[in-house]
Amino acid sequence: DIQMTQSPSTLSASVGDRVTITCRASQSISSWLAWYQQKPGKAPNLLIYKASSLESGVPSRFSGSGSGTEFTLTISSLQPDDFATYYCQQYDYDYTFGQGTKLEIK
Amino acid sequence: EVQLVESGGGLVQPGGSLRLSCAVSGFTFSDHYMDWVRQAPGKGLEWVGRSRNRAESYSTGYAPSLRGRFTISRDDSKDSLYLQMNRLKTEDTAVYYCTRSDATGYSVYWGRGTLVTVSS
């Protein structure tokens, strides 16, 4: 199984901050990585696929980078609507999610 | 507009069975890969399994830990996806989401989910 590890588990930040979430794979997954945002009581929402491709309709302040085993999700300037939990998912072999990063208001 | 609506969740005893349904609209069902993803209360996301499209003969795949207990099927005449869950365990308690997925593996559209509670 490919294990996905996100860091940090919790991140406190303020509106306007630039934040970065990291996702590491236990083995190389090329660029087969997606990022999702989930708000309480709601289904996840796709943000990024193939490591750096922005899903249609997602604000450009979200960006993804990386390949191989290390990936990042960056929000360039936090907005109030961005406080949520973020998950990475590898889809190179089967499909595995990271444990999530909760982005909280500082 | 793409819509996915899950149903069939509820309370079931350990060892019991349950069948979830996902009714879809807004796209040609047979053209698309469909997945089930679950989320235990307060926990992260876990991929359950996948049904490929007609071009791939509707072949299925499952998370290794669930293979043998869970079965995915679909009925194109009803635009519906199903998840048959047998020999349920307390650890199967979760919200089960139906998703329409890209062939490579990520989930583009998600339903609202249906809650399955396995408890005596």
Side-chain angles (χ1 to χ4, degrees), chain B residues 63-77:
Chain B
S65 63
L66 301 176
R67 203 169 290 143
R69 291 196 301 123
F70 287 17
T71 303
I72 295 173
S73 61
R74 58 199 292 170
D75 184 339
D76 286 354
S77 69

Side-chain angles (χ1 to χ4, degrees), chain A residues 37 45-49 54-62 81:
Chain A
Q37 177 194 68
N45 181 49
L46 176 67
L47 300 174
I48 302 282
Y49 61 95
L54 191 69
E55 173 65 3
S56 175
V58 174
S60 58
R61 63 181 179 273
F62 291 92
D81 192 49

Side-chain angles (χ1 to χ4, degrees), chain A residues 1 32 34 36 38 41-46 49-50 55 87 89 91 94-99, chain B residues 35 37 39 43-47 50 52 62 64 67 97 103-108 110-112:
Chain A
D1 289 11
W32 303 117
Y36 302 87
Q38 186 178 34
K42 301 293 187 182
N45 181 49
L46 176 67
Y49 61 95
K50 208 172 180 184
E55 173 65 3
Y87 293 93
Q89 178 205 18
Y91 49 98
D94 280 344
Y95 314 100
T96 318
F97 292 89
Q99 82 279 14
Chain B
D35 288 323
V37 176
Q39 186 170 35
K43 302 297 184 183
L45 301 167
E46 180 184 18
W47 177 72
R50 136 169 302 208
R52 297 177 184 87
Y62 300 93
R67 203 169 290 143
Y97 295 103
T104 57
Y106 58 90
S107 293
V108 182
W110 296 66
R112 293 186 175 183

Side-chain angles (χ1 to χ4, degrees), chain B residues 1-59:
Chain B
E1 180 191 5
V2 172
Q3 291 195 345
L4 310 170
V5 180
E6 302 93 337
S7 61
L11 176 64
V12 60
Q13 292 190 336
S17 298
L18 204 60
R19 188 175 88 150
L20 306 183
S21 300
C22 172
V24 313
S25 60
F27 63 98
T28 302
F29 184 49
S30 59
D31 287 348
H32 291 275
Y33 287 47
M34 302 293 296
D35 288 323
W36 287 98
V37 176
R38 71 181 183 180
Q39 186 170 35
K43 302 297 184 183
L45 301 167
E46 180 184 18
W47 177 72
V48 171
R50 136 169 302 208
S51 169
R52 297 177 184 87
N53 59 11
R54 178 189 290 182
E56 297 294 332
S57 303
Y58 303 127
S59 58

